[in-house]
């Protein structure tokens, strides 16, 4: 419980200091940063495909495809489908992506050692390994922030639906009373 309180306090501090207290803006800003890093990684994957062969090219292309699918799915969930199931599935995908990029960082690091032993250049590999590590950290932090403020996102979605339903209240007569149309009931006709 103490860890949850510390995480909540830290993410609230980030929200207040960076986004005027809006957890939605913090989540959106973090997600846009991840999207930017994803674009950089896709360009690095294209470079690896054209200049490197075999293992490194496959790792770069595969991780870019997985990240592209995560970005598309995450953007759809964050914009349209903000149900508890969709957000939970998305959080699980983000955590899995974070772990994948951490493992890829370790694999590229070992590959760098092999290339150094063979007296080959490793500048591109170091950049790729650094990007994998940063992507892993960014995705893990995003999952923590999203998990910490998940209820606020879902509550705001519910509040928006309630406001839309309240717009269905009609004025009757001279404006003194209001009439709210019944919801969720089927109208039955008696024959």
């Amino acid at each position: 419980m103490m860890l949850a309180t510390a995480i909540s306090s830290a993410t609230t501090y980030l929200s207040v200091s960076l986004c005027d207290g809006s957890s939605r803006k913090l989540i959106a800003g973090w997600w846009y940063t991840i999207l930017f890093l994803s674009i950089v990684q896709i360009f690095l994957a294209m470079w690896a495909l054209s200049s490197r062969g075999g293992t490194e090219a496959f790792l770069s292309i595969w991780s870019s495809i997985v990240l592209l699918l995560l970005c598309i799915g995450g953007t759809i969930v964050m914009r349209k489908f903000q149900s508890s199931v969709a957000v939970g599935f998305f959080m699980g995908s983000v955590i899995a992506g974070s772990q994948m990029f951490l493992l890829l960082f370790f694999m590229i690091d070992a590959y760098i050692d092999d290339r150094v032993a063979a007296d080959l250049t490793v500048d591109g590999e170091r950049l790729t390994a650094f990007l994998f590590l940063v992507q892993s950290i960014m995705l893990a932090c995003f999952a923590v922030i999203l998990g910490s403020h998940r209820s606020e996102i879902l509550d705001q979605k519910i509040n928006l639906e309630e406001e839309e339903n309240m717009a269905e209240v009609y004025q009757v007569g001279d404006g003194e009373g209001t009439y709210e149309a019944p919801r969720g009931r089927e109208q039955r006709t008696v024959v």
Side-chain angles (χ1 to χ4, degrees):
M1 190 65 171
M2 190 169 142
L3 179 64
T5 304
I7 289 173
S8 180
S9 297
T11 57
T12 301
Y13 173 76
L14 281 174
S15 174
V16 168
S17 63
L18 297 175
C19 303
D20 297 327
S22 173
S23 59
R24 290 182 70 86
K25 285 183 182 178
L26 177 66
I27 291 169
W30 210 277
W31 185 244
Y32 293 143
T33 304
I34 290 172
L35 292 177
F36 173 75
L37 288 173
S38 302
I39 291 170
V40 171
Q41 184 177 343
I42 289 170
F43 285 124
L44 271 174
M46 287 189 262
W47 170 81
L49 187 62
S50 67
S51 65
R52 304 286 190 243
T55 306
E56 188 180 359
F58 175 75
L59 281 175
S60 295
I61 293 298
W62 177 251
S63 65
S64 294
I65 290 171
V66 168
L67 190 60
L68 183 65
L69 292 173
L70 180 67
C71 289
I72 291 169
T75 302
I76 290 171
V77 166
M78 296 305 293
R79 295 223 180 236
K80 186 165 182 155
F81 301 106
Q82 294 177 352
S83 68
S84 60
V85 173
V87 172
F89 183 78
F90 176 53
M91 279 178 36
S93 300
V94 168
I95 291 169
S98 174
Q99 292 174 351
M100 181 188 80
F101 281 106
L102 184 63
L103 291 174
L104 288 174
F105 165 74
F106 289 131
M107 290 175 67
I108 293 290
D109 190 43
Y111 188 68
I112 288 171
D113 293 340
D114 292 344
R115 287 186 63 90
V116 167
D119 291 330
L120 297 172
T121 62
V122 292
D123 295 332
E125 287 79 8
R126 284 190 177 135
L127 180 61
T128 302
F130 175 74
L131 187 62
F132 283 165
L133 181 63
V134 169
Q135 194 72 269
S136 174
I137 293 169
M138 291 294 291
L139 286 170
C141 290
F142 180 75
V144 167
I145 292 169
L146 186 61
S148 179
H149 295 282
R150 174 183 68 235
S151 62
E152 295 170 20
I153 292 172
L154 296 175
D155 288 345
Q156 188 164 2
K157 178 75 172 178
I158 291 169
N159 289 340
L160 289 175
E161 289 173 0
E162 287 176 2
E163 287 176 11
E164 289 173 0
N165 290 339
M166 289 304 292
E168 296 177 4
V169 174
Y170 300 104
Q171 293 287 334
V172 177
D174 57 357
E176 292 180 20
T178 59
Y179 170 74
E180 186 173 331
R183 290 185 213 122
R185 294 184 182 172
E186 294 179 27
Q187 293 187 359
R188 297 180 187 166
T189 57
V190 179
V191 181

